[in-house]
Amino acid sequence: MSLERNRLFEWLHSSEGEAAVHRVLQVDSNYVVIIDVNHPCAQPNWHKRAELESIVENGSIKFLAEDPFEAALPYLEDLSEAQREHLESAWKVVYSIHASGELAFIPQERSRLIQQASKKTGRSEKAIRKNLRRSIRVSSRSLLPTKL
């Protein structure tokens, strides 16, 4: 198995003695962008591709066969109309940031994109940042409200 976009893997950090689950957000010839999916305030982290591939080879990274987050999220056909509208509204804002490609993973650029989206939509930067983080950690369906 290899480092591919949207793959989940468990990384045993020897210094911490415990495994963390990460999602691959982007891969190019030199770098891999990952995020810790279990940390609610996690930010994307850039790693040299060769270093991560070496860690895969030495067995400290184990790829997960299934995405447990997908199974836990509801399907669109199971949503109420209000939930679908909420999801679509939140996704439109987040998508504009995702569409910027790797700029969404560079902290200064991400902040600039969030500020622009906030001015354009009237949504708070805090809400946009939260939705963006949830969408890259888990799934776009994670933008569903917990209560309506």
Side-chain angles (χ1 to χ4, degrees):
M1 297 200 161
S2 62
L3 295 163
E4 298 170 359
R5 190 171 189 273
N6 210 32
R7 293 289 301 275
L8 285 177
F9 64 88
E10 193 173 59
W11 186 353
L12 178 61
H13 296 280
S14 59
S15 62
E16 299 169 13
E18 57 186 54
V21 178
H22 297 274
R23 183 178 301 279
V24 177
L25 301 176
Q26 183 166 320
V27 179
D28 67 24
S29 58
N30 297 314
Y31 292 95
V32 178
V33 183
I34 65 172
I35 192 164
D36 181 341
V37 297
N38 292 320
H39 192 288
C41 296
Q43 297 294 325
N45 291 301
W46 292 70
H47 294 272
K48 290 183 180 177
R49 183 176 181 161
E51 289 177 5
L52 279 184
E53 287 173 343
S54 174
I55 295 168
V56 169
E57 288 175 16
N58 80 22
S60 292
I61 286 180
K62 306 244 187 283
F63 292 98
L64 302 181
E66 294 183 18
D67 188 336
F69 299 103
E70 282 297 315
L73 294 171
Y75 290 95
L76 291 177
E77 59 269 13
D78 298 332
L79 302 178
S80 70
E81 186 63 32
Q83 288 173 316
R84 277 195 287 272
E85 288 173 11
H86 177 88
L87 175 63
E88 185 174 322
S89 174
W91 177 244
K92 282 181 182 178
V93 176
V94 168
Y95 180 77
S96 67
I97 298 169
H98 279 290
S100 67
E102 73 177 35
L103 293 179
F105 306 127
I106 300 170
Q108 300 86 346
E109 292 299 320
R110 183 173 54 252
S111 290
R112 183 182 59 78
L113 292 167
I114 290 169
Q115 288 171 353
Q116 288 175 345
S118 177
K119 287 178 185 172
K120 183 177 179 180
T121 64
R123 293 177 183 254
S124 73
E125 289 181 31
K126 182 178 179 179
I128 294 171
R129 189 172 305 280
K130 178 181 174 183
N131 285 341
L132 179 63
R133 190 178 303 121
R134 285 171 62 190
S135 73
I136 61 177
R137 280 180 44 240
V138 181
S139 163
S140 62
R141 288 189 293 145
S142 69
L143 299 178
L144 291 170
T146 53
K147 293 183 181 175
L148 287 176

